[in-house]
Amino acid sequence: MGHIKFDYTNAMIQPHEYTNLKKQVELAHQMLHEGNGPGNDYIGWLDYPENFNREEYERIKASAKRIASNSDVLIVIGIGGSYLGAKTVIDALSHTFYNELPKEKRKGPKIYFAGHQISGTYLTELLEMIQDQDVSLNVISKSGTTTEPAIAFRVLKKALEDKYGKEGVKSRIYATTDSENGALRKLANAEGYESFVIPANVGGRYSVLTPVGLLPIAAAGIDVDALMAGAAEGMKEYGNPNVDENPAYQYALVRNVLYRKGKAIEALVNYEPSMAFLSEWWMQLFGESEGKDGKGLFPTKLNNTTDLHSMGQMVQDGPRHLFETVVRVEAFEKDIVIESDALNLDGLNYLSGKTMSYVNDNAFKGTLEAHLDGNVPNCVISMSQKDAFTLGKLLYFFMKACGISGYVLGVNPFDQPGVEAYKKNMFRLLGK
């Protein structure tokens, strides 16, 4: 099975700094597991990989098969945690050009996302893209009134009703929403849409392993059983209160030490394009959980080696206020061997017989050495392989570390009061 390793050898912290913060991490563990810390109404994700609704889970898998059988396209409508987790998993575990593959080579329908911004151009062109294809919708919203997804759903629902009729569309809309309340729950009940429940005690950014993420992930043909099994193993492994034996807790500890040493920015770095969207999910997870009361590391991302040609100079020689956390994949199923060329005009024959993953790994190692020389602390999170089990475990790793890190920081990692400020101004300007 897949393994996750955390290496902070190059994090540039002293033994006493690690030791001094261990008690706070142990206290955070106690608060989280005893449910007496801030935001304890939203810790349902903590044991969800084992304590989920099995009947609903089977309905999710059945619905995914139905979508695959009658739809060329599934459009996932949601914003923030309602789409980031699903897109992260689908991007990481699907063919890079999944939507461009012929139907017989895909494991499910094409997957498009909507409702994650307010762009008339995007939605118009999405409608153009799907006009000659069979389509299903998965609309994800606890309230059903969040502006971005609500607009997208209104437009796309009408397009489907025009195409299939009011009755025909009922079997093509899947609602993931609150169990009892809200506009979307009311509509789903009235129209008879297949519906799934967003657990009341799980916040959006922690919801990837709930129906929020599982339906679109399963529809894409990804093994959700393996994903959940990996998360369940992570739940057990990262439930260990011994910091020295718990890599998720070590990560939470080290990032808090670095924050107290003046490192205000954490960049999540990857060296594999399919893992790029993990950074988007991670940025919401930590940014929305910790950015409160004037506190919190600013989460950002680097997609290497691409960004070494744009941001590498800044990281190497710019202000010393950041550290890097690299997510490294150790083994790949697909690779290319670089062949010799008779002319060797590009000077690459010294790489003959080497794989691209070998070259990429040495780019990672060389960059690590350079950034350490530039006084940039580095942590490395290694995945033994890129599969559903290991990714499920990694997602749980980050969620557990985030809950612990927020408590160590002294904030409530499960609320987001600042998110409402822009909405009030927007609604006022729109005349609501």
Side-chain angles (χ1 to χ4, degrees):
M1 291 296 186
H3 301 290
I4 305 293
K5 293 182 289 187
F6 176 64
D7 181 1
Y8 61 95
T9 306
N10 297 306
M12 299 182 182
I13 67 171
Q14 301 300 316
H16 71 272
E17 294 175 311
Y18 178 95
T19 302
N20 289 346
L21 215 55
K22 277 177 67 174
K23 286 292 183 184
Q24 292 190 42
V25 173
E26 291 167 358
L27 177 60
H29 167 89
Q30 181 180 344
M31 292 166 63
L32 188 58
H33 280 266
E34 293 182 3
N36 56 20
N40 55 38
D41 289 342
Y42 289 94
I43 58 173
W45 58 271
L46 196 60
D47 62 356
Y48 193 88
E50 286 191 349
N51 296 323
F52 57 89
N53 185 321
R54 261 63 180 181
E55 181 276 329
E56 183 177 47
Y57 182 71
E58 292 304 320
R59 283 198 300 113
I60 287 170
K61 293 196 288 184
S63 294
K65 289 180 180 179
R66 187 161 60 252
I67 292 167
S69 69
N70 70 6
S71 300
D72 302 307
V73 171
L74 172 66
I75 300 177
V76 182
I77 302 173
I79 195 167
S82 294
Y83 93 102
L84 286 168
K87 184 160 172 55
T88 293
V89 176
I90 292 168
D91 281 8
L93 300 181
S94 300
H95 191 286
T96 301
F97 305 102
Y98 174 84
N99 281 349
E100 305 307 315
L101 292 174
K103 189 171 184 177
E104 60 272 15
K105 291 189 176 182
R106 280 187 273 110
K107 295 180 180 179
K110 300 174 186 178
I111 309 290
Y112 295 111
F113 293 86
H116 53 294
Q117 25 70 355
I118 311 174
S119 169
T121 300
Y122 181 97
L123 208 51
T124 299
E125 293 179 350
L126 178 59
L127 288 167
E128 292 172 358
M129 178 70 68
I130 65 170
Q131 61 183 348
D132 296 324
Q133 302 181 75
D134 283 319
V135 180
S136 289
L137 304 179
N138 177 205
V139 55
I140 307 166
S141 175
K142 186 168 280 190
S143 67
T145 58
T146 303
T147 306
E148 295 89 341
I151 291 173
F153 182 49
R154 176 179 286 202
V155 171
L156 289 164
K157 180 166 73 74
K158 183 179 185 303
L160 262 64
E161 287 174 348
D162 290 344
K163 184 172 187 174
Y164 299 107
K166 288 280 289 185
E167 286 301 314
V169 82
K170 291 181 179 181
S171 63
R172 293 183 172 275
I173 294 179
Y174 300 81
T176 308
T177 188
D178 188 82
S179 61
E180 298 179 359
N181 301 310
L184 184 54
R185 168 52 59 195
K186 183 178 179 180
L187 179 66
N189 289 347
E191 297 294 333
Y193 301 153
E194 183 80 49
S195 65
F196 305 98
V197 173
I198 301 175
N201 59 354
V202 178
R205 58 190 178 274
Y206 293 86
S207 68
V208 58
L209 300 171
T210 75
V212 169
L214 290 177
L215 178 58
I217 291 168
I222 291 167
D223 186 350
V224 290
D225 291 341
L227 187 77
M228 294 300 284
E233 182 171 285
M235 187 185 88
K236 294 175 183 176
E237 184 174 334
Y238 310 136
N240 186 347
N242 187 331
V243 179
D244 296 330
E245 298 174 355
N246 188 328
Y249 286 11
Q250 292 166 19
Y251 172 55
L253 186 155
V254 168
R255 64 195 306 277
N256 273 278
V257 169
L258 290 169
Y259 176 68
R260 296 177 189 202
K261 289 166 71 78
K263 303 301 180 183
I265 300 171
E266 178 181 9
L268 195 73
V269 184
N270 76 82
Y271 282 79
E272 179 58 32
S274 65
M275 297 293 288
F277 220 85
L278 174 72
S279 299
E280 302 286 346
W281 173 82
W282 171 87
M283 284 166 60
Q284 188 210 8
L285 178 66
F286 280 91
E288 203 166 80
S289 294
E290 294 192 327
K292 293 153 196 172
D293 305 327
K295 303 176 185 177
L297 281 158
F298 187 89
T300 189
K301 62 184 177 181
L302 293 168
N303 298 316
N304 288 347
T305 60
T306 303
D307 286 346
L308 292 174
H309 296 263
S310 56
M311 295 299 294
Q313 175 64 40
M314 173 62 74
V315 175
Q316 189 72 41
D317 290 335
R320 301 297 79 188
H321 56 9
L322 83 159
F323 70 95
E324 295 174 298
T325 298
V326 180
V327 176
R328 180 190 184 198
V329 180
E330 294 181 337
F332 294 93
E333 291 184 0
K334 300 177 182 178
D335 212 343
I336 288 180
V337 176
I338 301 167
E339 297 181 358
S340 180
D341 181 83
L343 295 178
N344 194 32
L345 294 176
D346 53 16
L348 292 178
N349 275 357
Y350 75 101
L351 295 176
S352 297
K354 303 291 194 303
T355 63
M356 287 186 68
S357 63
Y358 173 82
V359 176
N360 198 31
D361 198 47
N362 280 278
F364 150 69
K365 292 174 182 176
T367 303
L368 177 66
E369 290 179 12
H371 290 180
L372 291 174
D373 289 342
N375 198 32
V376 179
N378 263 257
C379 303
V380 180
I381 299 169
S382 298
M383 302 172 63
S384 56
Q385 65 252 12
K386 187 166 65 74
D387 60 16
F389 183 94
T390 313
L391 185 58
K393 191 172 181 179
L394 180 67
L395 294 171
Y396 194 89
F397 172 98
F398 278 128
M399 289 191 288
K400 190 63 182 295
C402 186
I404 294 295
S405 182
Y407 280 162
V408 172
L409 185 63
V411 300
N412 177 354
F414 307 117
D415 69 353
Q416 53 280 339
V419 173
E420 299 304 315
Y422 89 90
K423 294 180 182 179
K424 292 178 181 178
N425 292 338
M426 179 179 70
F427 294 151
R428 173 179 53 79
L429 292 167
L430 290 171
K432 182 175 180 179

